[in-house]
Amino acid sequence: MGHDITSTDQMITVKKQAWHKLGTIIPEHVTPKQALQMAGLEWEVVEGSVSATFEEKGKTFRVVDENHKMLLRSDTKEPLGIVGKDYKVMQNSELADFISDVTAGELAAVETAGSLKGGKRVWFLLGGEQYDVAGVDPVSEYGLFCNGHDGGLATRVLPTTIRVVCNNTFTAAGAENLMKGISIRHTKNAQDRVDEARTALTKNVEQIEKFRDAAETLAKVEVDTKWLTEFFMSVYIDSGATPPTPYRPQMTDKERKRGERAIKRATETISQWFANFEDADDGNAHKKIRTTAWAAFNSVTRWADHGRTVKNEKKDPTARAYANLLGTTASLKAMTLNKALGSV
């Protein structure tokens, strides 16, 4: 399939390819129901038993696990995951209906939709408003609805913003982040889910407003090389990367080589952040914000979205899109925002 999408995943995006750089371009906004067909999401999740077979004394025995069930794609018969017996599947068609019920006609134009990880993740991104940070840097707001079919992700409703000038996505997933959204477990009836999601959308508005305030705060703070160095190093260390270790005479050869590799990785990464800051989004960033803490924050998020190495990306070209939306990249960007706010 084109655009390097895995053979069992499809995506659509309006007018131009979105931040994930994948998918089929469609000419205009569509409803969730229309997007369902266009994005190849009309397949269903079917349930099967979890069992094991073994031989003993020439006889074959089959044991069924009554407390679990397997979820499979109806079209490809691919296994999606093993879940508990009480797990409630939300079909892709039900998710589309759910979005229409929740939004009640508002925020109902789909900007992009599709599946990731062979159908284990499904999402719809709905278009919202646009505002300009510091009056010059356009940021578009969206509502993200996503669902998991492997037991690893609840139905989620959360706000997402995309910085138009360089397609940086800001989706913060986590309990303590500004834009954490709402998770709805696969054990509740449909009406409970709709009511919770409506509440989530209301809270999303509040979270978007907090993000606007944070962005405006950062855009007012001019920074220098000393501030950037301290900020970037702080972000790097808190990102989970191995911190650079100074050379010590008592180091073993193994420790020294490991330390040299850590210093090299840190230097290369932080140098890229400095390069992003200095080139001001290839010269497209407005001069009003080019030397601010907002630009420093976006220097990291730009690298996170487009330059960071994502685990399993060579085997799964959708891995980066998932990481940017809900995975490790989203968490990194949330941490970076909090670091930036704590440094000004």
Side-chain angles (χ1 to χ4, degrees), residues 12-27 111-112 142 162-165 167:
I12 58 169
T13 183
V14 171
K15 295 182 181 178
K16 62 180 180 179
Q17 289 177 322
W19 75 98
H20 46 65
K21 302 297 182 183
L22 304 172
T24 301
I25 297 172
I26 57 176
E111 288 283 334
T112 180
Y142 300 91
I162 295 179
R163 184 167 173 253
V164 175
V165 68
N167 247 12

Side-chain angles (χ1 to χ4, degrees), residues 98 184 188-197:
F98 170 72
I184 305 167
K188 300 186 177 185
N189 65 47
Q191 189 54 50
D192 286 342
R193 293 175 177 179
V194 169
D195 291 342
E196 284 197 30

Side-chain angles (χ1 to χ4, degrees), residues 174-208:
E176 297 180 357
N177 298 323
L178 285 177
M179 303 173 71
K180 62 184 179 181
I182 295 293
S183 294
I184 305 167
R185 296 179 61 193
H186 286 262
T187 56
K188 300 186 177 185
N189 65 47
Q191 189 54 50
D192 286 342
R193 293 175 177 179
V194 169
D195 291 342
E196 284 197 30
R198 283 177 177 155
T199 300
L201 284 179
T202 300
K203 290 185 177 181
N204 283 355
V205 173
E206 298 171 0
Q207 291 162 357
I208 285 287

Side-chain angles (χ1 to χ4, degrees), residues 131-134 137 139 178 208-221 289 292-295 297-298 337 341:
Y131 65 94
D132 295 330
V133 176
D137 197 20
V139 174
L178 285 177
I208 285 287
E209 290 176 353
K210 288 182 180 179
F211 179 71
R212 286 188 185 186
D213 291 343
E216 292 295 340
T217 296
L218 296 178
K220 293 176 182 176
V221 179
I289 60 167
T292 65
W294 172 245
F297 163 68
N298 281 293
L337 178 66
L341 289 172

Side-chain angles (χ1 to χ4, degrees), residues 211-232:
F211 179 71
R212 286 188 185 186
D213 291 343
E216 292 295 340
T217 296
L218 296 178
K220 293 176 182 176
V221 179
E222 292 286 325
V223 298
D224 56 21
T225 301
K226 180 176 182 297
W227 186 95
L228 284 171
T229 301
E230 293 174 352
F231 170 63
F232 287 155

